[in-house]
Amino acid sequence: MLIGRTAEGFDEFLGPAGFEPVAWEQIVVDFGAPPERVWVTSCETLYPASTLDDTQLAELRAEFAGATRGLLTADGILPAAVRLDIARTRLAE
């Protein structure tokens, strides 16, 4: 079992240190927007695009444009979201 990938893994790791069982919460962050805005948001916040050289980035951008063209809504919005899994616990009293 990979510690940190499941509630049981967290509990197995943190329980002996005196923590309560982990509670999970999922949050969905919707960042659907015109494709250019989704591209910028993705490159600035979700993926380390700065590790790519100009040629690689241009190729990826072209692939992104082609792959997402058919996903646009009638008003030109590209649906996009990210799900965050939040694990919370505290020291047992």
Side-chain angles (χ1 to χ4, degrees), residues 2-54:
L2 294 173
I3 294 174
R5 303 227 8 155
T6 66
E8 294 81 15
F10 271 113
D11 291 342
E12 182 180 318
F13 180 72
L14 296 172
F19 285 87
E20 293 181 354
V22 171
W24 286 95
E25 177 183 359
Q26 290 184 345
I27 298 172
V28 176
V29 178
D30 180 354
F31 64 100
E36 178 63 24
R37 184 71 227 150
V38 173
W39 171 261
V40 170
T41 299
S42 297
C43 290
E44 290 177 354
T45 60
L46 301 174
Y47 304 104
S50 61
T51 63
L52 303 175
D53 64 35
D54 290 343

Side-chain angles (χ1 to χ4, degrees), residues 59-79:
E59 290 173 0
L60 183 60
R61 189 175 197 152
E63 287 184 38
F64 172 83
T68 59
R69 191 170 293 118
L71 302 174
L72 298 178
T73 63
D75 55 352
I77 299 298
L78 177 60

